[in-house]
Amino acid sequence: MSNRYLILEDGTIFKGKAFGASVADVHGEVVFQTGMTGYQETLSDPSYKGQIIVMTYPLIGNYGINHDDFETVNPKLQALIVKECVKYPSNFRNEHSLSDFLRQEGIPGLEGIDTRQLVKKIRISGTLKGKMIDTEVDHDLEIKHLNEIELPTNQVSSVSTIKPYVVPGRKERIVLVDYGMKHGILRELTERGCHVTVVPHNTTAEEVLQHRPDGVLLSNGPGNPKDVPEGVQLVKDLIGRLPIFGICLGHQLIALACGANTEPLKFGHRGVNHPVRDLLTDEVYMTSQNHGYTVSLESIKNIPLTITHVALNDQSIEGLKHVQHKIYSVQFHPESSPGPTDANRLFEEFLGELNENQQGGIKACRNEQTYIGS
């Protein structure tokens, strides 16, 4: 095994061993994920686009990689860092080792460093830019270059679908806007019989309405929500016209469209063990999360949104509801994948709101038009 180096923008250097793909130079935002299991779903979550993931659980890869647990076809992360990468996984579904999978996907890995030290540094300093290299170089020069690097701001456009596509169903018609959608969201809708049309991130309100949906779901996605102005405009144009449900980035886009502000978290929420309180029922969920931005608490005042969920670890906003229209959002992932399914019922609650329109709303109008034209 050859040496591999992680260089952080603050000048810290970690030396470990390489696994996965070889690399000449890869850089990105270094973040940590706190799940003990679910590494395959984490690796394939499009929201990690442009990021170097540090796994806090020390032993990763013990059950290998299979073809059933992916959240997208092609992983988007920059690199993976673990304390120890398992070379010989053992599981009846195993088809590839973690290292072989990363090699096939062109993703470098680094193992054998003190991941506890690295995570503690991120928690104290905040999220840092990092660079992974395989060769001995002038580290001072590399640090200088790293501090000059501007991370890309067009992450959503690089992970969204290019063309609309349909997953047929016989029940509610949903337009799912893909900002970097996890397949788990699509799976939860199709398992409930929904007719789902997945559309690109830059779809307009007029194009959404052409599909005559009962409701719109805004997906998760990577990066800063303020870098997705087309998503904010879409929500503004649909308010009062269709029920809307936002997840993660979709939650932030709804907040911006209604006049709130978003801001970066110090080191983000990434993992499958984040407690969230539902203020409407006083229940506590264990949730799956992956985000680096949050809706500013101060900005919620004097706008038509009310807080429905809060994170118990830091009291940040985890859910919102419009005071007049059927618009709801959560910062966490009710589809889990990986993670607990405590909040899975939010999909039923959203679909239940759509069914209230059957007698005189959108669905009734669509059915009447279909009958007249037949």
Side-chain angles (χ1 to χ4, degrees):
M1 296 176 64
S2 59
N3 292 331
R4 180 163 286 170
Y5 302 88
L6 172 69
I7 302 174
L8 301 178
E9 63 177 300
D10 68 354
T12 306
I13 299 172
F14 290 87
K15 178 181 178 181
K17 298 298 181 181
F19 70 97
S22 60
V23 58
D25 181 349
V26 63
H27 63 269
E29 187 179 41
V30 184
V31 301
F32 63 87
Q33 203 269 8
T34 59
M36 294 176 64
T37 61
Y39 56 81
Q40 180 172 335
E41 294 92 331
T42 295
L43 296 176
S44 56
D45 183 347
S47 293
Y48 283 109
K49 170 69 176 179
Q51 295 179 330
I52 298 173
I53 306 175
V54 185
M55 304 298 291
T56 61
Y57 189 70
L59 190 67
I60 300 296
N62 56 318
Y63 53 85
I65 300 289
N66 63 74
H67 282 93
D68 298 326
D69 294 338
F70 288 111
E71 288 301 309
T72 189
V73 176
N74 301 117
K76 305 299 182 181
L77 74 158
Q78 293 291 86
L80 178 67
I81 300 173
V82 300
K83 178 67 173 76
E84 181 181 348
C85 174
V86 175
K87 306 301 184 295
Y88 304 102
S90 177
N91 185 275
F92 72 98
R93 295 197 302 156
N94 170 53
E95 298 173 52
H96 306 283
S97 71
L98 175 59
S99 184
D100 287 344
F101 169 71
L102 292 181
R103 189 178 302 112
Q104 293 171 14
E105 296 294 329
I107 299 169
L110 171 66
E111 68 168 324
I113 70 167
D114 188 342
T115 51
R116 295 172 302 177
Q117 179 188 355
L118 176 54
V119 169
K120 186 175 180 180
K121 175 175 284 293
I122 295 172
R123 286 180 62 89
I124 294 173
S125 302
T127 301
L128 297 165
K129 287 186 291 185
K131 173 181 284 193
M132 198 175 284
I133 56 176
D134 280 353
T135 56
E136 283 278 11
V137 295
D138 184 337
H139 289 157
D140 290 337
L141 183 60
E142 290 293 335
I143 293 168
K144 181 177 182 296
H145 287 167
L146 182 59
N147 278 277
E148 294 172 349
I149 290 174
E150 293 291 335
L151 297 178
T153 59
N154 61 342
Q155 305 285 33
V156 165
S157 62
S158 65
V159 297
S160 173
T161 184
I162 299 174
K163 296 181 179 179
Y165 62 91
V166 173
V167 182
R170 293 183 176 272
K171 294 185 178 181
E172 293 84 358
R173 296 171 66 94
I174 305 295
V175 166
L176 174 51
V177 187
D178 179 9
Y179 297 111
M181 174 195 70
K182 291 171 60 183
H183 286 175
I185 296 175
L186 181 59
R187 181 174 58 250
E188 292 296 333
L189 294 173
T190 56
E191 285 181 352
R192 290 164 173 80
C194 295
H195 180 94
V196 184
T197 303
V198 182
V199 299
H201 69 99
N202 55 356
T203 301
T204 65
E206 288 69 27
E207 292 168 334
V208 167
L209 293 171
Q210 286 175 6
H211 297 287
R212 295 196 295 178
D214 298 308
V216 176
L217 198 155
L218 310 177
S219 84
N220 63 292
N224 186 342
K226 293 179 181 178
D227 292 332
V228 195
E230 64 274 20
V232 177
Q233 189 61 50
L234 174 65
V235 176
K236 288 181 177 180
D237 293 341
L238 289 178
I239 289 177
R241 304 171 77 178
L242 284 172
I244 305 173
F245 182 35
I247 295 175
C248 201
L249 180 63
H251 156 83
Q252 297 163 2
L253 295 177
I254 287 173
L256 290 173
C258 293
N261 189 29
T262 57
E263 58 191 13
L265 290 164
K266 186 175 181 179
F267 48 78
H269 297 172
R270 298 176 179 89
V272 298
N273 45 12
H274 290 261
V276 167
R277 183 181 297 279
D278 185 331
L279 300 181
L280 303 179
T281 65
D282 205 34
E283 293 178 275
V284 174
Y285 309 142
M286 294 303 294
T287 68
S288 175
Q289 301 199 12
N290 177 13
H291 59 275
Y293 290 81
T294 186
V295 178
S296 167
L297 180 60
E298 287 297 317
S299 70
I300 294 297
K301 299 176 181 178
N302 301 317
I303 65 171
L305 292 175
T306 184
I307 300 171
T308 58
H309 300 78
V310 295
L312 293 184
N313 288 338
D314 62 4
Q315 302 303 307
S316 59
I317 295 173
E318 290 284 342
L320 295 167
K321 178 181 179 180
H322 200 284
V323 298
Q324 295 176 307
H325 304 293
K326 293 184 177 181
I327 300 176
Y328 318 88
S329 65
V330 290
Q331 183 66 81
F332 52 90
H333 286 264
E335 82 286 353
S336 62
S337 300
T341 58
D342 294 20
N344 195 262
R345 69 187 188 203
L346 293 178
F347 288 99
E348 275 95 8
E349 292 179 8
F350 176 59
L351 296 179
E353 293 287 349
L354 304 187
N355 290 329
E356 291 184 3
N357 293 324
Q358 285 192 11
Q359 296 304 316
I362 300 165
K363 182 177 288 187
C365 292
R366 192 188 69 239
N367 290 341
E368 182 180 353
Q369 292 170 1
T370 301
Y371 175 78
I372 293 172
S374 60

